Amino acid sequence: MSDSVVSKKTYSKEELRLLNKKYHLLSVEDRVRQLYEDFSENEVMLTSSFAATSALLLSIFAGIKPTQKIYFIDTGYHFDETLEYKQQLSELYGLDVVSVSASEEDHRFTSENQTWKSDPELCCSINKVKPLELIKKRFNVWVSGLMWWQSDHRASLDIFEERGGILKFYPLLDVSPEERDKYIQEHDYPFHPLIAKGYHSIGCKHCTVPGNDRTGRWNNSPKTECGLHL
């Protein structure tokens, strides 16, 4: 994991408006190409959960910027199938994947207390949000594969958003589920193995059940986001 520190930048509403105007006119691939025209590689933090259809975004980045590091938040509670999918995609695309985890002490606390049952917000905060906060300050741009149709919160986003002191970049934001699946099938990308078992949004094994879109996440709970993208 790089310890390099980039010069932090704050973006005005007008700068964000112009960025979004420019990127809305581009295809997904051209958005990623343009990203490296507007920002240097060491400013970019790309995260992936290696869930559902991660092959789409990762294959595009691998083709355009193969040296880009991929940060994987290893909560310690992933399905075995997710870890196998991560290995498969890493080998297939030659990905440079860096795992980010909670401290051993923090993770042990959530395991012993089964925090996901009593306080899923706290469990996500300890095992996802806090570990990423420790490295987020090194970057200016955070790339993730959020899409409008996935939740009400995500439907309110734009391609670029400044949140939590970093510029968020969602190159897939306006891709429909039909477009996503067509793209994956046309390029013969591998789907996450749990999709065949009825899972369509895949997180930690304690908090994920089969379901359409994100309905299988935090089942029987009003929670719809882990907190990373709020």
Side-chain angles (χ1 to χ4, degrees), residues 6 141 199:
V6 300
V141 183
Y199 294 78

Side-chain angles (χ1 to χ4, degrees), residues 20-84:
N20 280 306
K21 181 179 179 180
K22 176 167 68 172
Y23 279 73
H24 270 294
L25 299 174
L26 303 176
S27 67
V28 171
E29 291 90 341
D30 285 342
R31 287 171 184 171
V32 174
R33 292 188 186 95
Q34 187 64 46
L35 178 71
Y36 293 104
E37 294 290 327
D38 294 333
F39 303 92
S40 62
E41 183 179 348
N42 71 328
E43 290 183 271
V44 176
M45 178 179 76
L46 170 58
T47 59
S48 178
S49 59
F50 289 88
T53 52
S54 294
L56 171 54
L57 187 61
L58 294 178
S59 66
I60 292 171
F61 269 87
I64 293 171
K65 185 63 69 170
T67 54
Q68 177 65 58
K69 282 184 169 58
I70 317 295
Y71 292 92
F72 171 65
I73 303 177
D74 189 352
T75 63
Y77 301 127
H78 287 293
F79 289 93
D80 290 341
E81 289 89 343
T82 297
L83 300 179
E84 292 164 4

Side-chain angles (χ1 to χ4, degrees), residues 89-221:
L89 295 187
S90 298
E91 294 175 358
L92 185 60
Y93 302 124
L95 304 177
D96 182 6
V97 181
V98 178
S99 290
V100 180
S101 303
S103 69
E104 184 177 339
E105 180 181 9
D106 283 350
H107 181 68
R108 187 187 310 116
F109 167 79
T110 60
S111 295
E112 292 175 351
N113 290 274
Q114 298 187 342
T115 311
W116 57 86
K117 292 182 178 179
S118 60
D119 193 342
E121 293 285 359
L122 178 59
C123 193
C124 285
S125 177
I126 289 173
N127 289 295
K128 290 186 175 184
V129 180
K130 183 179 176 181
L132 202 64
E133 286 290 336
L134 296 176
I135 67 166
K136 198 171 75 172
K137 59 188 176 184
R138 302 175 188 168
F139 304 95
N140 275 325
V141 183
W142 175 5
V143 186
S144 64
L146 273 59
M147 301 181 222
W148 273 333
W149 54 268
Q150 292 173 322
S151 72
D152 290 342
H153 167 69
R154 297 179 184 197
S156 70
L157 301 174
D158 212 334
I159 293 173
F160 282 98
E161 298 251 339
E162 190 159 29
R163 288 174 179 265
I166 196 167
L167 190 65
K168 304 290 291 292
F169 175 49
Y170 311 118
L172 302 180
L173 193 64
D174 51 1
V175 174
S176 71
E178 294 79 17
E179 290 170 331
R180 177 202 64 180
D181 292 348
K182 180 181 178 183
Y183 194 101
I184 289 175
Q185 289 164 354
E186 286 179 348
H187 291 81
D188 198 27
Y189 295 149
F191 284 88
H192 191 295
L194 287 179
I195 287 181
K197 298 180 180 180
Y199 294 78
H200 291 277
S201 180
I202 302 157
C204 294
K205 57 189 175 184
H206 300 302
C207 299
T208 308
V209 296
N212 293 324
D213 300 332
R214 292 178 66 81
T215 60
R217 303 291 295 277
W218 303 290
N219 199 29
N220 298 318
S221 166

